[in-house]
Amino acid sequence: MVLTDSLHHVVIVGGGFGGLYAAQALKNAPVKVTLVDKRNFHLFQPLLYQVATASLSPAEIASPLRLVLRGQKNTQVLLDEVVDLDPQAQKLYMKDGELPYDSLILATGVSHHYFGNDHWQDDAPGLKTVEDALEMRRRIFLAFEAAEKELDPEKRQAWLTFVIVGGGPTGVELAGAIAEIAHGALKQDFRAIDPGQAKILLIEGLDRILPPYPPELSAQAAQSLEHLGVTLRTNTLVNNIADGVVTVKQGEEEEVIAARTILWAAGVKASSLGQVLHERTGVSVDRAGRVMVEPDLSIADYPNIFVIGDLANFSHQGNSPLPGIAPVAMQQGRYVAKLIPAKQQGKTPPPFHYLDFGKLAVIGQNVAVVDLGFLQLSGFVAWLIWVFAHIYYLIEFDNKLVVMVQWGWNYFTRGRGARLITGESVLPLLPGRSLTQPEDNQVKVKA
Amino acid sequence: MVLTDSLHHVVIVGGGFGGLYAAQALKNAPVKVTLVDKRNFHLFQPLLYQVATASLSPAEIASPLRLVLRGQKNTQVLLDEVVDLDPQAQKLYMKDGELPYDSLILATGVSHHYFGNDHWQDDAPGLKTVEDALEMRRRIFLAFEAAEKELDPEKRQAWLTFVIVGGGPTGVELAGAIAEIAHGALKQDFRAIDPGQAKILLIEGLDRILPPYPPELSAQAAQSLEHLGVTLRTNTLVNNIADGVVTVKQGEEEEVIAARTILWAAGVKASSLGQVLHERTGVSVDRAGRVMVEPDLSIADYPNIFVIGDLANFSHQGNSPLPGIAPVAMQQGRYVAKLIPAKQQGKTPPPFHYLDFGKLAVIGQNVAVVDLGFLQLSGFVAWLIWVFAHIYYLIEFDNKLVVMVQWGWNYFTRGRGARLITGESVLPLLPGRSLTQPEDNQVKVKA
């Protein structure tokens, strides 16, 4: 990288909603911008569950960062991973080198949280990256393939049992989509099984799904999910996950569920850069590792370091921290992008204030819930609002005409055309029935 | 799997062009069909290079086999891999069990051939599977990312040097597409490098590229590639590939090319099932491992075992075996699908005869070469023929409306929107400049 001039250098770490909106809002500012991300694309995470459930392809919800920022001449994109920083020297340490900054914006987001049970990760993957989504997609569709071949009814039902842990928006979206796959898309595709026999269980620890929503919307979402064929287990905690078995506890009652596909949508923790920042600057972090930020999104004692998006805990508005959703990150990115040049000019802008336009969660085709604060909606109208809001934001960076066509196509065909099982070979699917490679002409089969 | 009735059981191994066309042509035959494939989708291989070069997503050129065959009630699809067979007992051995057959159609195709240099595979991947294409895509776009960060001019040029080995259609397509990426799609995307400085070398051992085409078309293809910025090296053999360096030999002259991206498009060998068949039945195989078939595509001494598509060596028409292209496989699949029920009825249909409608190879946007036998075309008209032929066959199984929209979009924007670098983390890209993770507040950087 070549850094020649003496302009104020803003380094942004992370090209998610927070970082990318900050970069774009700095387009005409008298600064030099470097955006560092370990991936070469911005991911439209709200639609990641559609990749996991074979409605969309990864490229359809990803925008190459260089493409988005190609016209922005004051901005350079670097593919690299920040591993440490020196706040006194104002330097970042990346895997491929170091990078000095004048102002720093950290927006590296969150990953899955297993609440001390990290060993559940292999059995119950979460959904944060493109690779996570392809892994979920692979497990969901492999399960039906294995069931088609399995002769033992009990084992077959385990292949046809899907447990989703966590009744927030992601869990609700996954459960709804898997129900639609089992009862719709795959209906005529098998000969030995009826995919409609699939059991889809959604496990939630609190007393209702979508807990941040008004209780009426939670109830309507629950009803819609049940209508799609999802079984809800609220007030239910996961005690253990191992080897295709989930042990849950509702009150005093323990239940053992044989399920070959277990998906994790229960919690998030801050990316490790939050901890690094804590060690280097002494800034406080919360239990999830999120960085406690000041009213202007900077951190204590370091007015030139900002933390935004899911990585930040902003607790200066309302009774709880702002939620980890895209609109918060976008508004924070834009706020900091205005704050930095203003402070250079000696101004002191007012603190950050989040404008809440509402919350959306989708359950299935034609069904969503929308909480606009002054108005709660569910059903088809809510779904239309969800569709248009997502198209609007999705096409902002990089006109995703193809997604609209794909959605239109999927809508009318109820298709799940992206159901490729990719990655390493997984055969045999039914290891108990596998064969030894016969030698010579003597073919031998293990029982 | 449940096999209850006593209908003649046709087992097809492989869901490529040969196997899938055979399955579809058996739709109304009085037989029971089982299609076994280790993947759950049919791959439209002629467009795989467009996935490797970020124009299309994998799902856009793949059709789930179950979806294609869902309406065909006499047909079951099994996700499994055939590892052996017993031709006397008429049984296949798969990783998850065994499968009896009355008639067998083997259509498992080919993989890369490194001509005794299998250790080149990691340094110079080939293009046969979705995973191969994503690996090529990842290497091509990572090379530009690394070049952007590399300060040493020589190392930077090595990152910007792309060597494609093999001047057949795949090599020509890849070279043309990479030239378009470097000179077009990425033009404005970098700050430290000019992607137009990329060198793209196409290496061919014979005296011209596209050797099976008439010499005039080869010459026109060569001119078009050079116009796109591709350097051709004909009469040139690869002596060695190791560690980012290709050693080539033209006559007596040896040249060492520093290139971080080397792609293999030079040869194919039959899938291992050809060798298994040879061991179990004594049938001859050629040097590439392809099975020598009889005029009716069966194998010597086993009139109920058929081999079709790229796995077959059919040498009963013309002076050389039929080429390993989709139209041959399709016609062979349909032929066998008619032959099997006819033979059950005691008929003896005429031998297989390939109807050659011509050959197509694409070089870049607006440029292709077409050899229709009676007519040779190059340039825009040839490109239009290529586009329509591919759309026609692509949408046959599964209406790929999205591909048409994506192509239209790409055509006008010259976009390469699917340029996601996915898979395992590869950072650091420039290992010589990597850092040790600093301990405490002492940040240390390796030279």
Side-chain angles (χ1 to χ4, degrees):
Chain A
M1 62 226 97
V2 186
L3 304 168
T4 44
D5 47 49
S6 58
L7 278 173
H8 187 87
H9 186 205
V10 181
V11 174
I12 303 169
V13 186
F17 285 104
L20 190 50
Y21 271 71
Q24 288 193 311
L26 285 166
K27 181 174 184 175
N28 297 313
V31 298
K32 193 173 57 183
V33 180
T34 303
L35 175 62
V36 184
D37 197 313
K38 60 181 175 176
R39 309 309 298 259
N40 74 327
F41 52 87
H42 167 79
L43 185 64
F44 196 85
Q45 283 210 355
L47 290 178
L48 196 54
Y49 84 96
Q50 295 215 353
V51 174
T53 55
S55 287
L56 293 176
S57 288
E60 290 166 355
I61 61 158
S63 304
L65 289 168
R66 297 194 177 282
L67 184 63
V68 177
L69 297 168
R70 70 178 354 170
Q72 194 163 322
K73 295 302 175 200
N74 68 342
T75 304
Q76 183 173 28
V77 175
L78 284 182
L79 181 78
D80 216 326
E81 185 175 346
V82 173
V83 290
D84 206 336
L85 82 164
D86 181 340
Q88 276 72 41
Q90 300 194 170
K91 253 189 199 174
L92 289 179
Y93 297 94
M94 309 179 295
K95 286 199 169 163
D96 272 328
E98 42 182 88
L99 192 61
Y101 63 82
D102 297 311
S103 293
L104 177 63
I105 304 174
L106 292 179
T108 50
V110 290
S111 62
H112 322 297
H113 198 183
Y114 288 85
F115 307 108
N117 294 292
D118 283 352
H119 55 289
W120 293 354
Q121 192 152 4
D122 286 345
D123 286 311
L127 185 64
K128 277 286 162 197
T129 67
V130 163
E131 289 76 13
D132 290 341
L134 296 179
E135 179 59 25
M136 277 199 182
R137 185 174 88 180
R138 166 189 162 99
R139 291 188 187 209
I140 293 166
F141 291 95
L142 267 181
F144 289 100
E145 296 293 337
E148 175 82 350
K149 297 198 287 189
E150 181 58 69
L151 299 172
D152 179 278
E154 222 167 278
K155 287 183 183 167
R156 180 184 279 191
Q157 189 58 54
W159 280 114
L160 291 176
T161 301
F162 299 82
V163 172
I164 297 107
V165 183
T170 302
V172 165
E173 285 157 4
L174 285 171
I178 295 172
E180 287 182 339
I181 288 168
H183 298 285
L186 298 186
K187 215 171 177 179
Q188 305 168 55
D189 290 15
F190 292 84
R191 299 294 177 260
I193 59 162
D194 171 10
Q197 299 291 314
K199 277 190 202 159
I200 299 117
L201 284 91
L202 181 60
I203 312 278
E204 166 59 44
L206 298 178
D207 64 343
R208 59 190 173 97
I209 58 166
L210 298 178
Y213 286 66
E216 314 84 67
L217 284 185
S218 291
Q220 265 158 342
Q223 207 187 334
S224 301
L225 278 177
E226 280 167 349
H227 182 74
L228 283 173
V230 176
T231 306
L232 300 182
R233 295 280 167 87
T234 49
N235 287 317
T236 301
L237 296 169
V238 172
N239 268 0
N240 197 30
I241 296 175
D243 223 13
V245 172
V246 191
T247 313
V248 299
K249 206 171 175 182
Q250 190 174 16
E252 290 306 301
E253 217 168 312
E254 204 175 72
E255 187 189 358
V256 174
I257 305 165
R260 303 297 304 217
T261 311
I262 305 158
L263 307 178
W264 189 259
V268 293
K269 70 168 175 224
S271 82
S272 56
L273 215 50
Q275 185 58 29
V276 172
L277 193 65
H278 165 68
E279 286 167 20
R280 299 285 176 255
T281 67
V283 67
S284 306
V285 293
D286 68 12
R287 285 203 307 170
R290 291 179 300 177
V291 177
M292 305 304 297
V293 294
E294 302 296 301
D296 70 349
L297 302 170
S298 69
I299 61 169
D301 302 331
Y302 293 90
N304 67 332
I305 299 181
F306 301 89
V307 181
I308 62 174
D310 290 4
L311 182 61
N313 178 324
F314 184 89
S315 292
H316 309 283
Q317 186 180 341
N319 301 318
S320 51
L322 291 179
I325 56 178
V328 171
M330 292 170 181
Q331 291 182 27
Q332 291 182 337
R334 286 192 175 145
Y335 171 84
V336 173
K338 281 190 185 161
L339 184 72
I340 291 170
K343 279 171 78 177
Q344 280 186 271
Q345 293 167 15
K347 294 179 199 158
T348 309
F352 174 71
H353 184 85
Y354 174 56
L355 274 176
D356 187 357
F357 294 108
K359 288 193 286 287
L360 300 160
V362 70
I363 293 150
Q365 190 158 311
N366 298 342
V367 194
V369 291
V370 173
D371 174 21
L372 301 177
F374 62 96
L375 182 68
Q376 278 86 41
L377 288 168
S378 63
F380 185 64
V381 176
W383 182 78
L384 280 181
I385 293 174
W386 179 87
V387 166
F388 284 103
H390 282 74
I391 286 181
Y392 176 82
Y393 284 109
L394 186 61
I395 66 175
E396 196 173 350
F397 296 130
D398 166 13
N399 281 284
K400 296 279 184 194
L401 185 60
V402 166
V403 175
M404 278 173 274
V405 175
Q406 186 72 66
W407 276 5
W409 180 259
N410 292 348
Y411 184 82
F412 290 107
T413 61
R414 300 186 170 252
R416 300 273 172 179
R419 62 173 114 138
L420 317 188
I421 297 168
T422 52
E424 284 164 61
S425 174
V426 285
L427 294 166
L429 283 173
L430 315 172
R433 302 229 318 270
S434 69
L435 310 170
T436 44
Q437 182 83 20
E439 283 170 32
D440 203 37
N441 256 328
Q442 293 302 311
V443 177
K444 284 170 205 136
V445 184
K446 259 199 266 174
Chain B
M1 62 224 98
V2 187
L3 304 167
T4 44
D5 48 49
S6 59
L7 278 172
H8 187 87
H9 186 204
V10 181
V11 174
I12 304 169
V13 185
F17 285 105
L20 189 51
Y21 271 71
Q24 288 193 310
L26 285 165
K27 181 174 184 174
N28 298 313
V31 297
K32 191 173 59 185
V33 180
T34 303
L35 174 62
V36 185
D37 197 312
K38 60 182 174 176
R39 309 308 299 258
N40 74 327
F41 52 88
H42 167 77
L43 185 64
F44 195 86
Q45 283 209 356
L47 289 178
L48 196 54
Y49 84 97
Q50 295 215 351
V51 175
T53 54
S55 287
L56 293 176
S57 288
E60 290 166 356
I61 61 159
S63 304
L65 290 168
R66 298 195 177 282
L67 184 63
V68 177
L69 297 168
R70 71 179 352 172
Q72 195 163 319
K73 294 301 174 201
N74 68 342
T75 304
Q76 181 173 28
V77 175
L78 284 182
L79 181 78
D80 216 328
E81 186 174 346
V82 173
V83 290
D84 207 335
L85 81 165
D86 180 340
Q88 277 71 41
Q90 300 194 171
K91 253 189 201 173
L92 290 179
Y93 298 93
M94 307 179 295
K95 286 198 169 165
D96 272 327
E98 41 183 89
L99 191 61
Y101 63 82
D102 296 312
S103 293
L104 177 63
I105 305 174
L106 292 179
T108 50
V110 290
S111 63
H112 322 298
H113 198 182
Y114 287 86
F115 307 108
N117 294 292
D118 284 352
H119 55 289
W120 294 354
Q121 192 152 3
D122 286 344
D123 286 312
L127 185 65
K128 277 287 162 195
T129 67
V130 164
E131 289 76 12
D132 290 342
L134 296 180
E135 179 60 24
M136 277 198 182
R137 185 174 88 180
R138 165 190 162 99
R139 291 186 187 212
I140 293 166
F141 291 95
L142 267 181
F144 289 100
E145 296 293 337
E148 175 82 350
K149 297 198 287 188
E150 181 58 69
L151 299 171
D152 179 279
E154 222 167 277
K155 288 183 183 168
R156 179 184 281 191
Q157 189 58 54
W159 280 115
L160 290 175
T161 301
F162 300 82
V163 173
I164 297 106
V165 183
T170 302
V172 165
E173 285 157 2
L174 284 172
I178 294 172
E180 288 182 339
I181 287 169
H183 297 286
L186 297 187
K187 215 173 179 178
Q188 306 167 55
D189 290 14
F190 291 84
R191 300 293 177 259
I193 59 162
D194 170 10
Q197 299 291 314
K199 277 191 202 158
I200 299 116
L201 284 92
L202 181 59
I203 313 278
E204 167 59 44
L206 298 178
D207 64 343
R208 59 189 173 99
I209 58 166
L210 299 178
Y213 286 67
E216 316 83 67
L217 284 185
S218 292
Q220 265 158 341
Q223 206 186 333
S224 302
L225 278 177
E226 280 167 349
H227 182 73
L228 283 173
V230 176
T231 306
L232 300 182
R233 296 280 167 87
T234 50
N235 287 316
T236 301
L237 296 169
V238 172
N239 268 1
N240 197 29
I241 296 176
D243 222 11
V245 171
V246 191
T247 312
V248 298
K249 206 170 174 183
Q250 189 174 17
E252 290 305 302
E253 215 167 313
E254 204 174 73
E255 187 189 357
V256 174
I257 305 165
R260 304 296 305 216
T261 310
I262 305 159
L263 307 178
W264 190 259
V268 293
K269 69 168 177 225
S271 82
S272 56
L273 215 50
Q275 185 58 28
V276 172
L277 193 66
H278 166 69
E279 286 168 18
R280 300 285 175 253
T281 68
V283 67
S284 306
V285 293
D286 68 13
R287 284 202 308 168
R290 291 177 300 178
V291 177
M292 305 305 296
V293 293
E294 302 297 301
D296 70 350
L297 302 171
S298 69
I299 62 169
D301 303 331
Y302 294 89
N304 67 333
I305 299 181
F306 301 88
V307 181
I308 62 173
D310 290 4
L311 181 61
N313 178 323
F314 184 89
S315 293
H316 309 283
Q317 185 179 341
N319 300 319
S320 52
L322 291 180
I325 55 178
V328 171
M330 293 170 180
Q331 291 182 29
Q332 290 182 337
R334 285 189 176 146
Y335 171 84
V336 173
K338 282 190 184 161
L339 184 72
I340 291 170
K343 280 172 77 177
Q344 280 186 272
Q345 294 166 15
K347 296 178 198 157
T348 309
F352 173 73
H353 184 84
Y354 173 56
L355 273 177
D356 187 356
F357 294 108
K359 287 193 286 288
L360 299 161
V362 70
I363 294 149
Q365 190 159 312
N366 297 341
V367 193
V369 292
V370 173
D371 175 21
L372 301 176
F374 63 96
L375 182 67
Q376 278 87 40
L377 288 169
S378 63
F380 185 65
V381 176
W383 182 77
L384 280 181
I385 294 174
W386 180 87
V387 166
F388 284 103
H390 281 74
I391 286 179
Y392 176 82
Y393 284 109
L394 185 60
I395 66 175
E396 196 173 352
F397 297 130
D398 166 14
N399 282 285
K400 296 277 184 195
L401 185 60
V402 166
V403 175
M404 276 172 275
V405 175
Q406 186 74 66
W407 276 5
W409 179 258
N410 292 348
Y411 185 82
F412 290 107
T413 62
R414 300 186 171 252
R416 300 273 172 180
R419 61 172 112 140
L420 317 189
I421 298 168
T422 52
E424 284 164 62
S425 174
V426 285
L427 295 165
L429 283 172
L430 316 172
R433 302 229 317 271
S434 69
L435 309 170
T436 44
Q437 183 82 20
E439 283 171 32
D440 203 36
N441 256 328
Q442 293 302 311
V443 177
K444 283 169 204 135
V445 184
K446 259 199 265 173

